[in-house]
Amino acid sequence: MENSFLLEKLQENFPDKIVEIPDAHHLLTVLVDVEDVIDILRFLKGSNELQFIHLTDITAAHYPHLEKEFAIVYHIHSLVHNIRIRVKVFLDGPNPEIPTATVVWKGANWMERETYDFFGVNFLGHPDLRRILNVDDMDVFPMRKEYPLEDPNRVDKKDLYFGR
Amino acid sequence: MSEFISKMTSNQPVFDDNDPQDELITLNIGPTHPATHGVFQNVVQIDGERIVSGVSTIGYIHRAFEKIAEHRPFYQITPLTDRLNYCSAPINNMGWHMTVEKLLKIEIPKRVQYMRVIVMELARIADHIICNGILGVDTGAFSGFLYVMQEREFIYEIFEEICGARLTTNIGRIGGFERDFNAIAFEKIREFLNRYPPVLKEFEEMFVRNRIFIERTSGVAAVTPEEALDYSWSGPILRATGVDYDVRVQNPYCSYEEFDFEVPVGTTGDVYDRFMVRNEEMWQSLRIIEQALEKIEKEPKGVFHAEVPDFYLPPKEQVYTNMEALIYHFKIVMGEVDTPKAEVYHAVEGANGELGFYLIHDGGRSPYRLHFRRPSFVNYQMFAPMSAGMLISDAIINMSSLNVIAGELDA
C-alpha cells in the first residue's frame, strides 16, 4: 500500500479535515483537528481496507513559540499492509485537552498517562488519568520547555558564546 | 455470644465464601521483591491465594532520559540508551545510531551492517537467556538457569572484546563502530556458535517436555491475539499469541532482509508459548550470526565505519598532527555540524518488542524532543488487569515471562 493511496482514502472519508505534512522519511504524517481525531483513529483502525490495528505510540512535544503549543503525536501501524502513519494534533496551552484514545485501543492507557505526567495534557474520558513515572504530589509537568534541566544561570553552554 | 456459638457449631461457614469482598488481604509485591526482578510495585488484593484486583505502581527508577536527551549531543545519548534495557544494551545502542543515521541520511557499509547484526543477535540471545532462565527459577528449576548463565557470561566476554564494556556497552558510534572487531572477537564469536547449541539443547530438554514445567506454565496467562494487539503488545509475547509481527521482517534495517531466518509464533499466548518462542528465537539468532559471519568474509576487510568525517570522529593520533582531522574533531565535539530539521521514527526489534525512537530535530546540537517507545512499558500495562482471578504463583511466572526490565519500564 502506498502513502498516496492512504492519504486519498483519508481525504475521501474526511474531506477538508486532513492536512498532509511533508516528511523526509516516507512516513505519511497528517495534521488533524482535535474534534476529529478520535473519529479518524477509529476509522484507521476499523476500516477493512486499511487495518491500522497496532497503536505503536502516543507522545507529545512542546513548542512554546507556537500559537498552539502542544503537539500530540500518534504513531499507528497497519500490520496487515505493513504501513505506518503519524497523526498529529496541535492543542492550545497552557491546559491542553484532547479526547482519550483508550476508547479505540486499550493500550493507549499508559501512553496517555505518561503524556499527561510529562506535559500536563488532559485526556478527556481517560479511565485513570494519574501520574505514572513521577511522584503523585509533583506540581509541574517536567517535559515542558519552561522547565530547564540544568541551572539556567550556566553560561558555558549558551549558543551566543559559540557564534550562533 | 450465643449467636456466635451457634454459628460456630452449625454447619454454616463463618465467612461467606461467595462474598468476594469478604476477607480480602492487601499484599505488596515489590518494589523490592525478588519476584519482580527489578524495582516496581504491584499492590494486589488477594482472596486466599487468588488475586482479586491489582494496581501497578512504576517509576521507581525513572531517570528522566527524555529530558536529559534534550540537552545532549547525539553521541552522548548512546550511554543513556544503554540503561533502558540493560540486559540487551547493544540493541538499544544500535537502534539509536540507526535513528541518527536515518536523520542524517548516512549510508552504512555492508560489512558494518553485518557486524551490527552479530552484536544485536548476541544481545538478543543474552536477553532471552535471562528471561527463560529466570522463568525456570520462578517455576522451581534452578540448575537450568546456571547452565545458560555461563553462556551469557561468554557473550559479555565477546562484548568486552568488541567495545571494552560488558553490561552498559555504549557499543558502536554514529556511522559505524569505534574500532574493528579484533581477531579474538571473531574467534570468540565462532567459539560461541560451537559451544552454545549443546547447552541450549540441554536447557531445552530440561523444560520442553518436563511435566512440572508444563503444568506450571501451560494455559497460564493465555492471551488472545486480539487482546494482545488491543494492548499494543509487540515482540516475543505478541508472537506467542500467533501474530507474526517482527520488526526485522516488516521493516528491515541493517540488511536483515538478506538473512534467512524464521519468525517463530505460538498458538495460545500462554507462558509456555512465550518460553518456546524465546527459545526458538535463540536458535534463529544463532543462524543469523552464522550467516553474518559468512557474509563478512566476502566484504572488504578492515571497513568498520562509513566515510562521514562530519559525524564520525577522526582517529585521535591524527587530531594532533593533521589540520583537517583537528577541524572535524572540534566541529563534532562542539556540535558545529549542520544537521537537517526533520522528524524521524525508527524502530528496531528489541529483545522485548518494538523499540522505537521518535526524534524531533530542529537543527540544533541536541534533539528538540526525543521519545523512546519502550516495549516493556507498553507490554506491562496489561499485567494488572490480566492478573485478576489468577493465583499469586501464576501471576509471578506471568510477570517473569513478560520479561519486564525496570530500566526500560521507567526510562
Side-chain angles (χ1 to χ4, degrees), chain B residues 122-169:
Chain B
L122 284 172
R124 193 180 318 282
I125 292 175
D127 196 287
H128 287 352
I129 282 177
I130 298 261
C131 179
N132 276 359
I134 291 181
L135 183 61
V137 174
D138 284 348
T139 53
F142 196 81
S143 15
F145 167 72
L146 294 178
Y147 296 168
V148 287
M149 219 54 180
Q150 255 178 332
E151 301 307 307
R152 173 172 172 268
E153 179 64 26
F154 194 78
I155 293 176
Y156 282 174
E157 274 178 39
I158 298 173
F159 289 160
E160 211 173 346
E161 211 55 64
I162 291 169
C163 71
R166 292 159 54 83
L167 194 72
T168 48
T169 48

Side-chain angles (χ1 to χ4, degrees), chain A residues 29-85:
Chain A
T29 307
V30 293
L31 182 64
V32 303
D33 274 339
V34 61
E35 295 83 39
D36 313 321
V37 61
I38 295 304
D39 290 340
I40 289 167
L41 296 181
R42 260 191 224 279
F43 168 75
L44 284 168
K45 188 191 179 192
S47 157
N48 275 334
E49 255 175 313
L50 305 178
Q51 303 209 34
F52 280 85
I53 45 177
H54 196 254
L55 173 68
T56 306
D57 194 29
I58 298 176
T59 190
H62 187 204
Y63 301 96
H65 53 281
L66 295 185
E67 193 192 336
K68 293 195 166 191
E69 279 182 46
F70 292 93
I72 308 294
V73 189
Y74 301 84
H75 283 92
I76 316 164
H77 193 171
S78 168
L79 298 182
V80 180
H81 301 294
N82 191 18
I83 187 169
R84 290 172 193 264
I85 187 172

Side-chain angles (χ1 to χ4, degrees), chain B residues 111 186 190 292-301:
Chain B
R111 184 170 188 268
F186 276 118
R190 286 210 179 80
L293 281 176
E294 276 168 29
K295 285 175 192 287
I296 282 181
E297 291 290 309
K298 291 175 196 146
E299 296 297 322
K301 281 196 169 42

Side-chain angles (χ1 to χ4, degrees), chain B residues 90-394:
Chain B
I91 301 182
N92 309 343
N93 298 157
M94 294 303 159
W96 169 243
H97 295 322
M98 281 184 268
T99 311
V100 179
E101 284 153 10
K102 197 168 171 182
L103 172 80
L104 304 173
K105 302 207 160 128
I106 296 174
E107 210 38 58
I108 300 297
K110 282 282 176 196
R111 184 170 188 268
V112 181
Q113 294 191 6
Y114 301 144
M115 284 157 77
R116 285 184 170 182
V117 167
I118 292 178
V119 171
M120 284 192 285
E121 292 308 319
L122 284 172
R124 193 180 318 282
I125 292 175
D127 196 287
H128 287 352
I129 282 177
I130 298 261
C131 179
N132 276 359
I134 291 181
L135 183 61
V137 174
D138 284 348
T139 53
F142 196 81
S143 15
F145 167 72
L146 294 178
Y147 296 168
V148 287
M149 219 54 180
Q150 255 178 332
E151 301 307 307
R152 173 172 172 268
E153 179 64 26
F154 194 78
I155 293 176
Y156 282 174
E157 274 178 39
I158 298 173
F159 289 160
E160 211 173 346
E161 211 55 64
I162 291 169
C163 71
R166 292 159 54 83
L167 194 72
T168 48
T169 48
N170 192 14
I171 210 166
R173 296 289 179 263
I174 291 155
F177 279 90
E178 64 275 28
R179 62 174 86 87
D180 199 0
F181 289 6
N182 58 25
I184 303 171
F186 276 118
E187 204 177 287
K188 282 198 166 166
I189 295 166
R190 286 210 179 80
E191 192 189 332
F192 178 75
L193 288 179
N194 285 331
R195 62 182 270 172
Y196 188 53
V199 178
L200 184 55
K201 191 94 200 113
E202 194 178 10
F203 179 73
E204 213 176 272
E205 274 166 12
M206 290 177 72
F207 290 98
V208 174
R209 304 281 291 165
N210 181 330
R211 186 161 170 193
I212 301 171
F213 184 71
I214 291 176
E215 290 195 353
R216 284 288 272 116
T217 54
S218 178
V220 171
V223 175
T224 62
E226 290 79 15
E227 276 178 310
L229 286 169
D230 203 17
Y231 273 95
S232 298
W233 274 17
S234 55
I237 57 171
L238 174 66
R239 289 193 283 277
T241 67
V243 182
D244 61 343
Y245 172 50
D246 188 318
V247 187
R248 291 175 293 175
V249 178
Q250 285 242 6
N251 305 102
Y253 48 91
C254 266
S255 301
Y256 264 112
E257 69 276 11
E258 294 172 15
F259 290 88
D260 181 22
F261 65 101
E262 275 154 33
V263 178
V265 290
T267 49
T268 55
D270 57 6
V271 176
Y272 185 74
D273 273 14
R274 291 174 207 158
F275 175 89
M276 293 302 279
V277 165
R278 284 203 172 87
N279 192 61
E280 184 55 32
E281 274 186 18
M282 289 197 262
W283 288 110
Q284 298 300 328
S285 292
L286 288 171
R287 269 177 78 188
I288 295 172
I289 296 170
E290 215 162 296
Q291 293 170 43
L293 281 176
E294 276 168 29
K295 285 175 192 287
I296 282 181
E297 291 290 309
K298 291 175 196 146
E299 296 297 322
K301 281 196 169 42
V303 179
F304 62 95
H305 64 87
E307 288 305 324
V308 277
D310 280 337
F311 303 104
Y312 188 88
L313 279 174
K316 192 71 181 172
E317 61 275 12
Q318 280 186 28
V319 174
Y320 295 120
T321 54
N322 181 326
M323 191 64 197
E324 203 181 344
L326 175 65
I327 291 169
Y328 277 127
H329 181 95
F330 181 82
K331 282 179 84 171
I332 293 169
V333 173
M334 298 309 287
E336 295 294 316
V337 188
D338 283 336
T339 43
K341 288 181 188 176
E343 288 187 18
V344 184
Y345 178 81
H346 185 74
V348 295
E349 180 68 26
N352 286 334
E354 176 172 345
L355 176 68
F357 297 85
Y358 176 46
L359 170 65
I360 303 178
H361 193 53
D362 64 346
R365 262 176 289 175
S366 45
Y368 186 78
R369 166 100 174 95
L370 176 63
H371 178 70
F372 304 111
R373 193 263 183 211
R374 314 178 302 280
S376 287
F377 178 78
V378 181
N379 293 347
Y380 185 56
Q381 58 178 320
M382 194 171 169
F383 176 71
M386 79 196 279
S387 293
M390 237 183 239
L391 291 171
I392 293 179
S393 50
D394 286 349

